[in-house]
Amino acid sequence: MRTYRWGILGLGNIARKFAADLAHVPGASLHAVASRSEDKAQAFAAEFGAAHAVGSYEALTAVPDLDVVYIATPHSEHHAHALLCLRAGIAVLCEKPFTVNAIQAQELVAVAQARGVFLMEAFWTRYFPAVAHALELLQAGAIGEVKHLVADFGGFMPYEPLGRLFNPNLAGGSLLDIGVYPLFLSQLFLGQPTAVEAISVAAGTGVDLSCAMSLAYANGATASLASTLAAPLDNQCVLYGTRGQLRLLGPMYAPHGVRVQLPGQAAQEFSYPPPGDGYHYEAAHVQQCLAQGLLESPLLPLSSSLTLMRLLDAVRQRIGLRYPGEGGG
Ligand SMILES: NC(=O)c1ccc[n+]([C@@H]2O[C@H](COP(=O)([O-])OP(=O)(O)OC[C@H]3O[C@@H](n4cnc5c(N)ncnc54)[C@H](OP(=O)(O)O)[C@@H]3O)[C@@H](O)[C@H]2O)c1
């Protein structure tokens, strides 16, 4: 098996978790790390055993023999940082939300395709075995026809107006940071809605503190989704079908199992505990794609990332949330 040499761009919270989980991926090596601070890059490289540490993101693209870069910067920066790597011909795994809006996402896709470079959204949930099994069960009709989906993601986050979660300049707010997960699962399990309604409560900075979404589908299904930075929620995903219920076990963003409950019967449970936090699934999938010479993931094609960004745009239009630079006041 060949070795894939990874780079990480932006060395914050998630970069640390990703670097730790790379140890669970056969054939993965942390080759280079890039920070805006040389000292931070050096310390990170020493801790996680990276061969190269650079003190600017531009310098990362000059590191020799890099196979793929994981982009772990705030939402507002994904577009520029992904473009930086794609234009240098380096494959990209970019954190969620893919970009701030669909226009930015379209540009990434266009550049990746024009250059023939691999690009994938780091929507880690998609690559969990529990999610694959849930899809199989639903397709096999385990709970009949799905008629309703409930999913939410919430936590209490201290209010820091300049921090990543609340700062409009970093495209903060509950929807883009965590509401994107329920929305992603609704798209995965139910497809594209025919109607989207949403309501939000703003934080002091103007970004959404909480967002509640209602969606309807051509087949008669509906979905109730929520996100908040104000209180811990159940972080659940439950699908209600004509014959029973299917629930992702554990937090719906990183599920470790599936439960199927049919009326009058014992629940069936399937368990898939990850060895680490579960970031290794997406990294291993990227390596499989690269090994096959693919330019996008068959599990999360770029068209899905684009439709998800359009859904986020539609929700933001309903709640009247625009970020600096998007225009329209
Ligand atoms: N998949 C998941 O489970 C998961 C979980 C949490 C977050 N995320 C996503 O991962 C991304 C990063 O989140 P995080 O929690 O790791 O954030 P974080 O701790 O704030 O780290 C972000 C890093 O981005 C870099 N950066 C570049 N420009 C920046 C700017 N203008 N302001 C602040 N930082 C800047 C900094 O790295 P340097 O100082 O090294 O340059 C910073 O440490 C976001 O897209 C978020 O949605 C995903």
Side-chain angles (χ1 to χ4, degrees):
M1 175 189 282
R2 66 158 285 196
T3 298
Y4 288 88
R5 288 169 296 253
W6 285 82
I8 303 182
L9 187 156
L11 306 179
N13 289 324
I14 199 65
R16 299 184 63 78
K17 292 188 179 176
F18 185 85
D21 268 2
L22 263 191
H24 298 293
V25 184
S29 110
L30 184 56
H31 188 62
V33 294
S35 170
R36 295 163 302 169
S37 147
E38 178 101 41
D39 288 349
K40 190 176 170 189
Q42 294 287 357
F44 193 102
E47 183 177 348
F48 293 100
H52 302 266
V54 292
S56 81
Y57 299 153
E58 290 72 20
L60 183 65
T61 61
V63 171
D65 302 327
L66 205 50
D67 290 308
V68 50
V69 166
Y70 168 60
I71 291 175
T73 50
H75 311 155
S76 53
E77 313 305 306
H78 291 176
H79 174 250
H81 295 152
L83 280 181
L84 180 73
C85 297
L86 293 171
R87 288 186 172 138
I90 304 169
V92 165
L93 171 65
C94 181
E95 258 305 337
K96 44 55 62 175
F98 204 30
T99 50
V100 172
N101 54 44
I103 292 173
Q104 289 186 351
Q106 241 151 357
E107 190 183 356
L108 291 194
V109 171
V111 170
Q113 289 176 344
R115 306 244 165 179
V117 181
F118 178 84
L119 172 64
M120 185 179 107
E121 184 178 6
F123 221 114
W124 65 318
T125 312
R126 177 64 186 93
Y127 312 101
F128 276 68
V131 168
H133 195 174
L135 277 170
E136 277 170 27
L137 287 164
L138 293 170
Q139 275 154 15
I143 60 166
E145 262 180 69
V146 177
K147 289 297 174 192
H148 191 58
L149 180 153
V150 172
D152 54 47
F153 192 168
F156 173 77
M157 300 295 162
Y159 181 56
E160 292 168 10
L162 296 179
R164 184 178 78 69
L165 295 177
F166 290 95
N167 189 339
N169 291 313
L170 300 179
S174 81
L175 175 67
L176 256 59
D177 196 60
I178 52 179
V180 65
Y181 284 92
L183 208 54
F184 168 77
L185 288 172
S186 73
Q187 176 174 281
L188 184 69
F189 292 132
L190 294 174
Q192 292 309 305
T194 48
V196 177
E197 294 299 338
I199 192 158
S200 72
V201 172
T205 54
V207 303
D208 65 296
L209 177 68
S210 303
C211 183
M213 299 163 258
S214 297
L215 294 86
Y217 301 83
N219 67 357
T222 48
S224 303
L225 315 176
S227 60
T228 180
L229 302 173
L233 300 184
D234 284 337
N235 299 342
Q236 63 180 331
C237 176
V238 190
L239 291 119
Y240 300 89
T242 47
R243 293 182 51 230
Q245 298 178 10
L246 181 149
R247 178 182 291 269
L248 296 180
L249 297 175
M252 56 83 202
Y253 50 84
H256 56 69
V258 184
R259 180 190 296 143
V260 173
Q261 177 76 68
L262 305 184
Q265 297 185 24
Q268 268 188 300
E269 286 198 7
F270 307 91
S271 187
Y272 299 95
D277 281 326
Y279 295 99
H280 69 292
Y281 294 127
E282 63 183 357
H285 181 64
V286 167
Q287 292 188 181
Q288 284 158 10
C289 292
L290 293 177
Q292 292 169 43
L294 301 178
L295 296 184
E296 61 182 301
S297 159
L299 293 183
L300 185 59
L302 293 168
S303 58
S304 295
S305 292
L306 280 172
T307 50
L308 186 59
M309 283 313 308
R310 289 191 193 109
L311 271 178
L312 286 167
D313 283 358
V315 173
R316 281 205 295 127
Q317 197 197 6
R318 295 293 183 282
I319 64 176
L321 175 58
R322 300 184 76 82
Y323 291 110
E326 288 194 304

